[in-house]
Amino acid sequence: MAESRSGVSRNTLRLIWIPAVITLAITLVRLLGELKHWPAPWFVASAGGGGAIIGIAWLPIIFGPYFALKLKNRGQGPESNGKAIGFSILGLVVLAFGGFLAFSGGEIQISGKTLIAFIIMLIAAFVPWAGWGSLTKTLVAYAYSARIPVIIVMFFALRGQWGTHYDALPPGYPAGAAFWPKYVELALLPQLMFWIGYTVILASIIGTITAALVRRKKPALSEASS
């Protein structure tokens, strides 16, 4: 059993390492671009990133289908495409609910309500597991590989006040706030909970739909070739 789990873990790492390296490279390029004040809309140093083109938030659109098709070709597809898509959409509903609880007040502050909201957003990442477990596991591993480097960058950026979006304070956030509460509120909670849920859910929805469409197209292609 231990060997089986170890083998599965190694397979997951083999599957995510290239996307993880690409994601890390984009993170470092974005950091460099903001430090060098390279132009918008490629690089934006305001709080939240301002929709900069160079960023990792849009990568789940690419890597969701990539992981889904890789797993499907290995014989690790879902038992039911409809069930996989349905649980992915359910995860989106859970993520949206957690986001509403966390951000409805307009400010991120550590409180019981905030912690519950972020936990709900993290739980959302695991909802698609019921529809396609191997894809969800892969996406969770990829999501953490993408976001752990970001929290490391944010630690040093917030400490050194680098003038990037990694250390920019949201409107209304107390300028004199102590480092550790600020780091927890602006880095740890969003990156390790919200962004994990966001990455997994977005990639899961697009990945499951792509895999389902590819499966439907195959018989038509076979008939056309014959």
Side-chain angles (χ1 to χ4, degrees), residues 26-27 30-31 34-35 43-52 54-56 147 150 153-154 157-158 162-170 186 191 195:
I26 293 174
T27 297
R30 180 169 190 176
L31 174 61
E34 292 182 14
L35 290 172
F43 301 91
V44 178
S46 59
I54 303 298
I56 65 174
R147 292 296 162 178
V150 175
V153 169
M154 292 186 74
L158 286 166
W162 288 352
T164 67
H165 92 279
Y166 296 106
D167 58 288
L169 302 181
L186 301 183
Q191 294 296 328
W195 283 108

Side-chain angles (χ1 to χ4, degrees), residues 61-204:
I61 297 173
I62 296 174
F63 291 136
Y66 171 81
F67 291 132
L69 294 177
K70 283 281 190 180
L71 289 167
K72 181 171 173 288
N73 290 336
R74 293 179 178 180
Q76 298 177 8
E79 294 181 1
S80 165
N81 289 322
K83 184 178 178 182
I85 294 170
F87 275 102
S88 296
I89 293 173
L90 178 60
L92 178 62
V93 173
V94 175
L95 180 68
F97 175 68
F100 174 78
L101 286 181
F103 305 118
S104 59
E107 297 180 359
I108 300 177
Q109 293 182 339
I110 297 177
S111 66
K113 175 188 172 184
T114 303
L115 290 175
I116 290 172
F118 276 102
I119 290 171
I120 290 173
M121 287 188 280
L122 180 60
I123 289 172
F126 295 89
V127 173
W129 196 295
W132 192 348
S134 59
L135 178 61
T136 303
K137 178 181 63 178
T138 301
L139 291 174
V140 169
Y142 166 71
Y144 277 106
S145 76
R147 292 296 162 178
I148 288 174
V150 175
I151 64 170
I152 295 172
V153 169
M154 292 186 74
F155 177 88
F156 292 104
L158 286 166
R159 278 287 195 189
Q161 298 180 355
W162 288 352
T164 67
H165 92 279
Y166 296 106
D167 58 288
L169 302 181
Y173 195 88
F179 171 77
W180 282 109
K182 182 166 58 176
Y183 183 62
V184 170
E185 292 168 356
L186 301 183
L188 294 184
L189 289 180
Q191 294 296 328
L192 297 184
M193 294 189 173
F194 165 72
W195 283 108
I196 299 301
Y198 165 90
T199 300
V200 174
I201 294 303
L202 178 58
S204 182

